[in-house]
Amino acid sequence: MAVAAVSTALGDAPPPRRRRLLEDERWLALALLLPTMVLLGLFIAYPFVRGILLSVTDSRVGVSGSFVGLENYYRIWNDGIFRTAVYNTFLYTGVTTVFKLALGLWLAMLLNRNFRGKAFTRAFILLPFIIPTVLSTFAWKWMFDPTFSVLNWVLYRLGAITGRINWLGDPDLAMISIMVVNIWRGVPFFAISLLAGLQTISPELNEAAAIDGAKPWQRFWYVTWPLLLPVTMVVMLFSVIQTFADFQIVYVMTGGGPANATHLFATYAYQIGVGTGLLSQGAAISLAMFPILFLIVVVQLLYIRRVEVR
Amino acid sequence: MFFYLPMAFFLLFLLFPFYWMVITSIRPDSELYRPWNAINYNPFWTTRPTWEHVRGLLLETLFTTWMWNTMFIALMSTAISLVCGVFAGYALSRLSFPFAGGLGTGIFITYLVPQTLLFIPLAEIIRNYNLGDTPWALILTYPTFLIPFCTWLMMGYFKAVPKELEECARIDGASRWQAMLYIIIPVAIPGILSAGIFAFTLSWNEFIYALVFLSSPDQKTVPVGVTSDLIRGDVFFWGQLMAGALLGSIPVAIAYSFFVEHYVAGLTGSVKG
Amino acid sequence: MARISRRKFLQVSGPGVVAAKAMGMAGILASRTAPAYAQGATVHWLRWNDFVPASDQLLRKEMLPEAEKALGMKITFETVNANDLQPRITSAIQSGAGPDLIMLNNNHPQLYADSLVDLSDIAEATGKAEGGYYPLVRANSNNGQKWLSMPWAIIGAMIAYRKSWFEEAGANSFPETWEAYREVGKKLKAKGRPIGQTLGHTFGDSPTFTYPLLWSFGGKEVEADGRTVAINTKEAVESVAFMTAFWKEAHDEGGLAWDDTNNNRAFLSQTICATLNGASIYIESLRNADKYMTEKGAQLRTDILHSPLPRGPAGQFTMHTYHSHVLPTYSRNQAAAKAFLRWVHAKPVYERWFVSQKGYATPCTAQWEEHKVWSEDPVMAPFKVAGRLGRSPGYAGSSGPKAAEALSKYIVTDMYAKAVQGMPAADAVKWAEGELKGVYG
């Protein structure tokens, strides 16, 4: 091979080459990372700092304000709608994550078998996750429409209801409706990721457990689940980050209504900041999201690390 | 049957809305707007399919313009993000230099910053560079959430490439840069495809920045256009709305269908890595 | 189209020049001053999706092409859901780019005062030419220093109701007081035909109901000094308590989630007996007379009548939705936009738009009350005097930026919404007081 020829040609002088190597590496790394750092610095870091500054002034649209310290935070803390939005976001994230995990896991286990049309099915079920959220949410909004809902039609025909179900008009039902859409979108993501995780678990482990007399649920709990945990935690991490900052689903389905019952952090920040033009208060609401999210992420990361070590 | 019944339930749950989109797009208006408890009403099928909604959508609205816009923005953002992501992923996974760990974490942190916080300060930046109401406002801001993703994906793929490959090339006299370009990257093509298709679908999915930075009807992207222009007066034009939702989903679905394996690999790769 | 020489223009239009005297270009030519904007400028005009679609059609298909020819500019006409107008102008001001002329509701222009071009020259000229504006017009569009927006129209809000159903419930004319309305509503809801009203965050049908309701019981947001919050009164609590009972007994309780279009659809699909609205329901039933038939086989339009809101202990009030156009300072086509405004407000031009509205919109000056459109259809007659009877938000203070902020935040509407969802009336009023104090400082 050419290797031998070249190496004799170059002769051996490891030390100088190693030094060049090191410098090479650092410059190369810098060059490679430069575009990313410029883009992220200019369009995330810098605006982030300005956002923080914005939240401690009293700016409104077209009027740059003056420094007011933590007044915006105090104001939003005393805002009933903000508190509702905080509660909603936690509830929304918590409930949907539990369902997405449960249903996703179930679907993953179903898909883990071999059956005809498996590749086809696997491709199709990812569709809810692929399609732009706004577009598919409109389809759901149409399905939940107060006057023309197809769901009401079905339930009515089945004799389950006599009066109309006000999916988007009743505060509690509206929350349930947006959760349904979020779960619908998220289950495929969980399912496919968990499926990949399941596929790395050797079937012999399960068989061995079965031979030892373990029942199906015991096999799951003691064999499958622990091996699946790393993947599960990472998937949950991504999902929680996304869901916590969710905007599109609520914006399209309810706009935060009825009567502010379905506002999340992001939609309320948008309504106050862009709708009413109170930019500083909107920034404060958005920033309030960040530490909580950070905390959740740190907790999950620590958990993942612990699980991986084990 | 513990298998077929739940499977059928899942398929129904996950795919019914798409069927509903299709059906609504081809039903005539007179059949569409009948209350849920009207008699003699079958919402699941129509005997008189019509193209009027699709035609109205394509001819009377700027839908085709929105499609072009969105496609252009998505492709450009994906290209930028891939370049940045491949380079950054390579650097973070195969080179050693100070602050490597910190930078990796830093890129991760940027993913946590909510868009609703950034869009007002970003609007100022957009304004200062006169990018408001142009696709460039989005092409430059989309990479902010695409690059982190691409970077992690590529890190995962690069980590899996054996070091020997590179060392062979270096011994052959290639510089690190050449080694990266001609040896490692070609090997990671599947990863690049995965990252690319992932970035592409994420671009199509973006909404907030497009909503705030674009204004003229002929600059809008599909999600924004469908949300703002297809609801006229008292009436949600559901026929056209669903046609718009359907047609707007097709490019993404097509791109996805060519790259299903890569998409899935990307999804699971990012999760495992 | 861009560069038309003077002579060519006169040659082409010939006899039409005299008729086109009201039109901008010919007027400019006649006065022998060059137009102040470059030929070929583009003006981006943003309005709401008109609830009378025929008017948008008229603009798109006829009036705007004529304007383009007459003024030598391109006009991009965009319509959006009215609730999106405020986010649009905020985003546009922040990004430094956006529409040149934006229609805004009520006193919203006051919120953006520092970012708007002074339109006093056009507004004063038109007001003078037409005999003076209604007081509410000035209250909403003028902040005491300049005209923030060019007045466009007043959308009268009236209750549209089903004549035959009300007669069956024993009301041969529309109930005069809130209590009487409540009685009729109770009877009709029992028959599955409730009243439909939104208490959601939507620009039109919510405030135009809740503000007059508050006023008619004697409540108000602030004192006349415009600073002291005065909503926490016995009268306000009474109005909230009334509304809570009224809601449960007589209303379609889904109304909490409605926007401005749901009540139209509900009325037209005959699931509600009455609703506060502009004239769009009736106009739609006229436009598609055969599509909407009553259960007795008659055309729905023959069964619709209009009435102002009922009287309360402190009187009878209305609040109408007011439309005006602003020209933001970021616009790079200010001269062209102004020229367009002048053109469109010329009497013969505006009249065409007004006629297409069939009385849905009431112009901003008293002169138009004489117009024959009002005598064409007796069902529309109540809308003629909308401009005179309306009161503005922020009562008893001015309709300035603080009133606009309170309106944008739907404080008064939410007060009622909270109560009907279970909050005791006194607490709801107290909540509103706190919110208003946050606005008025």
Side-chain angles (χ1 to χ4, degrees), chain B:
Chain B
M1 278 285 226
F2 268 137
F3 177 71
Y4 284 110
L5 209 55
M7 200 62 195
F9 154 72
F10 273 115
L11 281 176
L12 186 67
F13 175 56
L14 294 176
L15 298 181
F16 178 72
F18 297 112
Y19 176 72
W20 194 238
M21 267 197 237
V22 171
I23 274 291
T24 307
S25 312
I26 57 176
R27 290 178 100 199
D29 266 338
S30 52
E31 281 187 26
L32 270 181
Y33 295 108
R34 309 211 22 215
W36 58 282
N37 50 3
I39 36 178
N40 281 341
Y41 171 51
N42 175 8
F44 296 117
W45 193 245
T46 174
T47 46
R48 295 177 290 155
T50 168
W51 288 115
E52 69 184 72
H53 301 306
V54 179
R55 201 159 27 93
L57 184 74
L58 294 177
L59 297 179
E60 289 166 27
T61 69
L62 289 169
F63 190 74
T64 39
T65 313
W66 302 334
M67 292 282 265
W68 277 121
N69 292 341
T70 318
M71 192 62 92
F72 176 64
I73 293 171
L75 288 173
M76 295 291 292
S77 320
T78 304
I80 295 178
S81 312
L82 273 181
V83 168
C84 291
V86 166
F87 286 170
Y90 181 80
L92 286 172
S93 61
R94 298 186 78 87
L95 302 177
S96 61
F97 53 96
F99 305 123
L103 268 172
T105 316
I107 295 184
F108 180 64
I109 300 279
T110 63
Y111 198 59
L112 296 178
V113 181
Q115 283 186 318
T116 48
L117 175 67
L118 294 176
F119 64 22
I120 293 300
L122 267 180
E124 262 183 66
I125 300 180
I126 302 281
R127 180 178 61 206
N128 292 335
Y129 288 118
N130 278 332
L131 294 174
D133 209 18
T134 67
W136 294 100
L138 299 185
I139 294 176
L140 293 176
T141 50
Y142 279 8
T144 57
F145 55 88
L146 297 177
I147 290 179
F149 231 94
C150 292
T151 309
W152 298 323
L153 267 177
M154 296 319 300
M155 274 171 76
Y157 273 93
F158 282 136
K159 278 205 182 106
V161 177
K163 272 203 171 323
E164 287 74 36
L165 218 58
E166 214 163 350
E167 280 167 20
C168 280
R170 311 254 4 264
I171 292 171
D172 275 358
S175 74
R176 266 201 110 83
W177 167 259
Q178 287 171 321
M180 179 187 86
L181 216 47
Y182 295 116
I183 307 291
I184 306 300
I185 289 186
V187 169
I189 291 276
I192 295 180
L193 282 176
S194 305
I197 184 71
F198 220 87
F200 185 72
T201 53
L202 282 178
S203 297
W204 269 82
N205 202 11
E206 204 284 328
F207 184 66
I208 298 189
Y209 288 162
L211 184 65
V212 178
F213 299 151
L214 297 178
S215 174
S216 305
D218 56 356
Q219 295 293 337
K220 294 186 181 172
T221 58
V222 169
V224 177
V226 166
T227 323
S228 63
D229 285 20
L230 291 184
I231 301 166
R232 279 180 234 128
D234 300 14
V235 195
F236 274 54
F237 282 61
W238 282 112
Q240 282 191 1
L241 254 176
M242 288 295 103
L246 197 61
L247 294 180
S249 309
I250 284 182
V252 183
I254 291 181
Y256 163 69
S257 67
F258 279 117
F259 296 103
V260 180
E261 290 308 318
H262 291 103
Y263 187 88
V264 175
L267 194 56
T268 57
S270 68
V271 162
K272 285 202 221 141

Side-chain angles (χ1 to χ4, degrees), chain A residues 208-263:
Chain A
I211 291 172
D212 277 354
K215 297 202 206 59
W217 75 267
Q218 281 176 324
R219 290 207 299 269
F220 174 75
W221 188 245
Y222 291 110
V223 178
T224 315
W225 180 248
L227 289 173
L228 208 49
L229 211 47
V231 175
T232 310
M233 292 308 298
V234 178
V235 171
M236 269 183 57
L237 185 65
F238 278 158
S239 172
V240 163
I241 296 177
Q242 286 277 352
T243 311
F244 209 75
D246 204 7
F247 178 83
Q248 298 181 33
I249 294 182
V250 177
Y251 181 80
V252 172
M253 291 272 282
T254 63
N260 300 316
T262 57
H263 263 307

Side-chain angles (χ1 to χ4, degrees), chain A residues 52-60 64-75 279-281 284:
Chain A
I52 298 180
L53 291 177
L54 189 64
S55 72
V56 291
T57 64
D58 60 356
S59 301
R60 352 160 24 125
S64 55
S66 42
F67 182 75
V68 291
L70 294 176
E71 184 183 312
N72 288 326
Y73 292 96
Y74 183 68
R75 178 177 298 199
L279 302 176
S280 293
Q281 288 185 32

Side-chain angles (χ1 to χ4, degrees), chain B residues 127 212 215 220 231 233-234, chain C residues 49 51 78 88 93-94 264:
Chain B
R127 180 178 61 206
V212 178
S215 174
K220 294 186 181 172
I231 301 166
D234 300 14
Chain C
N49 284 311
F51 279 19
E78 184 191 354
R88 280 297 292 270
I93 292 178
Q94 284 305 112
N264 291 60

Side-chain angles (χ1 to χ4, degrees), chain A residues 171-192:
Chain A
D172 298 317
L173 284 179
M175 263 319 262
I176 293 180
S177 303
I178 59 174
M179 286 187 201
V180 166
V181 180
N182 184 290
I183 294 172
W184 175 81
R185 262 205 102 233
V187 163
F189 175 62
F190 272 78
I192 296 294

